[in-house]
């Protein structure tokens, strides 16, 4: 547990209670234009790899891309681009593609959310490739860029997951840019005849890198052409501001508040046997569970099939596994199938080499009413030295039926700090104020038909 706390100093940020609350963001989908259809996700994969000059299939040696470095432009030479020029879509044809159905179905016959998360991450890269335009790049030359995920700010589940045999549409656009970074908004919709229903939405912060991934690369400035685009850009700036402000305060940099100290003392009082002074004798309250018992652990190995264009583990693969082990943790805790309400702060701090040994750990660190906040940590293991390096941290809020979610109790001060950490995360997620999570009964029926 102490190792987890040390890693969190590097990889996560926490906002002190009452000092900062996440603003309520509206989820804008461009309405004035239709996205450009780029085919099925299988076709998108082929096109994306072709643009980067990456061969489909296993290659023992990574293809050299040094010759492309000469095409990296200066930012002042890049023409401005609009949101609509990056607004594209692709289809996940579950209705007709039986092989795809098997890949996307879960054990209860609905769409496997982990696969959707994986597809959204891949699609965000495809959106970046459509946005960047280099005027002096020869027509038949490959794009001298690669795009890597820095962090997924948030992912909202907007409705119930559909059955496995319904076509899905994935779409997205660049909503904000920096000098070498892009924020991409990605949506997934259920296609039901001519009608569409929103399923999920996420904001992906991507970094542009040069052809050999040895340095950053500039991206085109973003021009705002409509009031709608200005609103989208303003919200992206608010997200950036909130993220930067939240980095200024951490529970390991600022001590718990008096209110939080009182909460910790209350836990100690509830779990201490007052009839004896015996050291470390603790009592678990009725319908409670120790935090140290509320976890799941898995060791896996990444293989070449999980690689990205730069020959490291694909971010979507890591995200999918983080979600699925978090789901298992919540399922074990509440003993019924939980519902994902919100996912946030998928951080990618270190690249994961292909054929690495991965240690996936998920803890429930906070419970409120029927909500559970799960923290997922991915460590890269070095088996010869037993060294562990944390590469990714992410957070998931699940819900169970009322009365089925046990309260968790920390046993140590370190665990109490994790509880405060989770409490602040939960409060800043501001679930009760997010209108796009409120799905009516009628909407749910339409989604599942």
């Amino acid at each position: 547990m102490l190792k987890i706390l040390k890693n969190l100093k590097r990889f996560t940020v926490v906002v002190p209670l009452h000092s900062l609350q996440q603003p309520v963001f509206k989820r804008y989908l461009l309405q004035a234009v239709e996205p450009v259809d780029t085919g099925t996700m299988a076709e998108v994969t082929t096109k994306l790899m072709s643009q980067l000059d990456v061969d489909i299939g296993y290659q023992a040696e990574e293809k050299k891309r040094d010759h492309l470095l000469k095409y990296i432009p200066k930012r002042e030479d890049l023409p401005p681009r609009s949101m609509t020029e990056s607004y594209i879509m692709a289809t996940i044809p579950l209705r007709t593609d039986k092989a795809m159905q098997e890949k996307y179905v879960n054990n209860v016959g609905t769409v496997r959310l982990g696969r959707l998360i994986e597809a959204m991450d891949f699609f965000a890269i495809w959106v970046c490739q459509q946005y960047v335009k280099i005027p002096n790049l020869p027509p038949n030359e490959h794009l001298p860029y690669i795009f890597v995920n820095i962090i997924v700010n948030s992912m909202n589940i907007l409705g119930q997951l559909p059955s496995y045999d319904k076509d899905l549409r994935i779409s997205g656009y660049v909503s904000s840019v920096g000098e070498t970074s892009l924020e991409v908004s990605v949506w997934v919709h259920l296609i039901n005849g001519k009608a569409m229903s929103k399923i999920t939405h996420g904001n992906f912060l991507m970094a542009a890198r040069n052809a050999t991934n040895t340095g950053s690369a500039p991206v085109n400035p973003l021009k705002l052409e409509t009031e709608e685009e200005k609103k989208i850009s303003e919200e992206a700036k608010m997200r950036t501001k909130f993220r930067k402000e939240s980095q200024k305060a951490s529970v390991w940099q600022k001590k718990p508040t008096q209110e939080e100290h009182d909460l910790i003392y209350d836990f100690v009082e509830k779990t201490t046997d007052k009839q004896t002074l015996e050291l470390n004798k603790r009592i678990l309250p009725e319908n409670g569970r120790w935090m140290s018992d509320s976890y799941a652990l898995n060791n896996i190995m990444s293989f070449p099939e999980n690689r990205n264009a730069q020959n490291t583990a694909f971010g979507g693969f890591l995200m999918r596994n983080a979600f699925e082990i978090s789901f298992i943790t919540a399922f074990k805790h509440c003993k019924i199938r939980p519902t994902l309400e919100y996912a946030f702060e998928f951080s990618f701090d270190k690249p994961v080499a292909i054929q690495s040994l991965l240690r996936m750990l998920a803890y429930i660190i906070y419970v409120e009413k029927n909500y559970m906040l799960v923290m997922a940590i991915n460590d890269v293991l070095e088996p010869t030295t037993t060294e562990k390096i944390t590469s990714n941290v992410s957070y998931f809020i699940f819900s169970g039926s009322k009365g089925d979610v046990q309260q968790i109790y920390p046993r140590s001060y370190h665990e109490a700090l994790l509880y405060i950490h989770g409490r602040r995360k939960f409060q800043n997620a501001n679930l009760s104020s997010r209108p796009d999570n409120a799905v009516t009964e009628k909407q749910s029926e339409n989604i599942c038909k």
Side-chain angles (χ1 to χ4, degrees), residues 131-151:
Y131 178 81
V132 171
K133 184 175 180 61
I134 305 173
N136 298 326
L137 185 68
N140 296 321
E141 193 53 271
H142 300 285
L143 187 68
Y145 282 58
I146 60 173
F147 300 95
V148 297
N149 197 334
I150 302 173
I151 189 169

Side-chain angles (χ1 to χ4, degrees), residues 26-36 81-89 123 127 131 169 171-176 183-187 189 196 198 201 203 222-234:
K26 295 181 180 179
R27 306 296 170 181
Y28 287 105
L29 185 65
L30 286 170
Q31 301 291 336
V33 294
E34 281 295 311
V36 174
R81 301 276 282 166
S82 67
M83 288 185 191
T84 55
E85 288 175 305
S86 67
Y87 189 25
I88 57 175
M89 60 162 282
F123 192 77
V127 172
Y131 178 81
R169 189 185 92 165
S171 59
Y173 56 85
V174 171
S175 51
S176 177
E183 186 193 74
V184 180
S185 290
V186 179
W187 301 77
H189 287 78
M196 290 197 307
K198 296 175 186 176
H201 165 263
N203 296 305
L222 179 65
K223 59 181 178 182
L224 305 175
E225 299 180 320
T226 66
E227 287 300 316
E228 180 185 33
E229 291 178 2
K230 290 177 183 177
K231 290 179 181 178
I232 293 172
S233 177
E234 201 59 40

Side-chain angles (χ1 to χ4, degrees), residues 41-269:
M41 281 299 291
E43 292 168 338
V44 164
T45 300
T46 302
K47 293 174 185 176
L48 186 149
M49 303 299 269
S50 175
Q51 281 191 15
L52 296 177
D53 193 26
V54 177
D55 295 329
I56 301 291
Y58 175 67
Q59 305 294 325
E61 294 185 7
E62 187 178 355
K63 185 177 286 189
K64 300 295 184 183
R65 303 184 80 224
D66 306 66
H67 66 286
L68 295 173
L69 292 175
K70 61 186 177 184
Y71 297 118
I72 298 292
K74 295 180 179 178
R75 193 166 196 247
E76 54 265 29
D77 296 331
L78 293 174
R81 301 276 282 166
S82 67
M83 288 185 191
T84 55
E85 288 175 305
S86 67
Y87 189 25
I88 57 175
M89 60 162 282
T91 304
I92 303 175
L94 299 182
R95 184 173 57 86
T96 55
D97 191 327
K98 301 300 182 183
M100 189 74 75
Q101 281 183 7
E102 189 171 14
K103 183 179 178 181
Y104 273 80
V105 67
N106 64 21
N107 62 334
V108 293
T110 57
V111 168
R112 187 175 168 186
L113 185 54
R115 288 293 187 194
L116 280 188
I117 293 172
E118 198 170 23
M120 292 170 74
D121 184 66
F122 189 85
F123 192 77
I125 298 172
W126 181 232
V127 172
C128 292
Q129 287 189 201
Q130 307 315 297
Y131 178 81
V132 171
K133 184 175 180 61
I134 305 173
N136 298 326
L137 185 68
N140 296 321
E141 193 53 271
H142 300 285
L143 187 68
Y145 282 58
I146 60 173
F147 300 95
V148 297
N149 197 334
I150 302 173
I151 189 169
V152 182
N153 280 332
S154 60
M155 187 167 293
N156 298 275
I157 311 305
L158 308 177
Q160 293 185 9
L161 294 175
S163 62
Y164 69 95
D165 55 354
K166 304 293 184 183
D167 287 345
L168 304 176
R169 189 185 92 165
I170 185 167
S171 59
Y173 56 85
V174 171
S175 51
S176 177
V177 301
E179 291 190 1
T180 61
S181 62
L182 312 91
E183 186 193 74
V184 180
S185 290
V186 179
W187 301 77
V188 177
H189 287 78
L190 166 69
I191 302 174
N192 192 1
K194 293 183 179 180
M196 290 197 307
S197 303
K198 296 175 186 176
I199 298 175
T200 184
H201 165 263
N203 296 305
F204 295 73
L205 182 62
M206 314 294 291
R209 307 284 292 171
N210 64 23
T212 55
N213 197 22
T214 55
S216 58
V219 298
N220 302 72
L222 179 65
K223 59 181 178 182
L224 305 175
E225 299 180 320
T226 66
E227 287 300 316
E228 180 185 33
E229 291 178 2
K230 290 177 183 177
K231 290 179 181 178
I232 293 172
S233 177
E234 201 59 40
E235 289 229 331
K237 290 177 182 177
M238 289 171 62
R239 282 189 292 271
T240 300
K241 181 181 178 182
F242 178 80
R243 184 172 64 249
K244 289 181 177 179
E245 287 180 351
S246 68
Q247 291 172 351
K248 298 175 184 177
S250 166
V251 73
W252 294 278
Q253 295 172 2
K254 288 189 177 182
K255 295 179 180 180
T257 64
Q258 185 58 54
E259 179 189 3
E260 290 166 340
H261 271 302
D262 291 344
L263 182 61
I264 293 172
Y265 183 83
D266 184 56
F267 275 132
V268 173
E269 189 177 38

